[in-house]
Amino acid sequence: SAGGSGGAADKEVFGLAKKPKNLAEIYKAPTELCFVGSFEELRAAGRAQQRWLLVNIQSPTEFASQQLNADTWHDETLTEVIRASFLFWQQYHDSADGQTFCRFYLPAAQGEAPSGLPHLGIIDPITGQLIKTWTGFKDPERLMDKLMDLADNPPNATVRVATVVAPWTHGHYSGRLEAASRVCLARHAPLAPP
């Protein structure tokens, strides 16, 4: 019907997706992709789901933060990779959760003149170790290349301990590492009757 409004006409123009109407739409945070909760809740979910933690700490005054929102986090292919293998957590450096994260992982991003933002990092949910880190804008293809190595290898306490212990099996460190491995596994293993 001619003159009608709504439906597919609002979303498509001649079969092509319409452009966002304003800057707020272009640069909006990828809320549909973000984990909602504290960093500790994120780590617990990462351990339970065996997923890496992909953390993005942003500054509202850095254009590269807005570029990530507009270009990188809304790329469909990258979004699928992230959903399959990572938990994504985005915070501003000056939010309560962002300040806590920066205190432990990014001391230069604290205070009146933060540096090193936007920050992208991959954290092992089991150990809490920051294993990869980047700063500034990364286009979707480049970031996807960097994430693919981990996407196929989920974090797993048993595998990680085996790779740490194996090189030391004949040395005098063997006993200490095996004991540490047992403690680590016990700490992260699900509670089950003996």
Side-chain angles (χ1 to χ4, degrees):
S1 67
S5 65
D10 285 341
K11 295 181 182 166
E12 294 184 2
V13 175
F14 304 112
L16 300 173
K18 282 176 66 174
K19 298 284 184 198
K21 295 176 185 172
N22 60 42
L23 290 176
E25 285 182 51
I26 293 171
Y27 298 114
K28 79 178 189 80
T31 54
E32 67 286 346
L33 187 59
C34 292
F35 178 88
V36 177
S38 70
F39 182 70
E40 283 307 313
E41 292 167 330
L42 175 73
R43 276 192 67 194
R47 285 190 297 267
Q49 298 175 31
Q50 292 188 337
R51 291 183 177 193
W52 299 104
L53 312 179
L54 176 57
V55 174
N56 176 213
I57 302 296
Q58 296 198 338
S59 168
T61 61
E62 290 292 330
F63 184 67
S65 292
Q66 307 311 317
Q67 276 185 293
L68 284 168
N69 286 346
D71 300 332
T72 304
W73 305 132
H74 286 99
D75 180 84
E76 289 181 32
T77 306
L78 179 64
T79 298
E80 291 306 314
V81 169
I82 292 171
R83 283 194 174 124
S85 302
F86 298 86
L87 291 177
F88 180 70
W89 193 65
Q90 184 182 71
Q91 298 289 320
Y92 280 117
H93 74 95
D94 55 357
S95 70
D97 284 328
Q99 287 176 346
T100 300
F101 182 87
C102 290
R103 192 168 36 256
F104 292 107
Y105 292 96
L106 305 171
Q110 297 183 87
E112 295 291 318
S115 63
L117 296 175
H119 162 81
L120 298 169
I122 298 176
I123 295 180
D124 182 324
I126 298 164
T127 65
Q129 179 181 1
L130 180 63
I131 58 172
K132 290 189 183 235
T133 185
W134 306 276
T135 57
F137 173 72
K138 297 289 175 259
D139 66 62
E141 295 80 19
R142 204 161 154 211
L143 184 59
M144 196 169 351
D145 286 344
K146 296 178 181 304
L147 297 180
M148 290 312 290
D149 290 340
L150 293 172
D152 296 330
N153 298 305
N156 180 316
T158 306
V159 171
R160 187 160 307 103
V161 170
T163 59
V164 169
V165 173
W168 299 96
T169 55
H170 299 293
H172 66 282
Y173 294 107
S174 179
R176 281 190 251 163
L177 281 172
E178 287 174 14
S181 299
R182 283 193 298 277
V183 169
C184 180
L185 285 173
R187 203 177 292 158
H188 298 292
L191 297 176

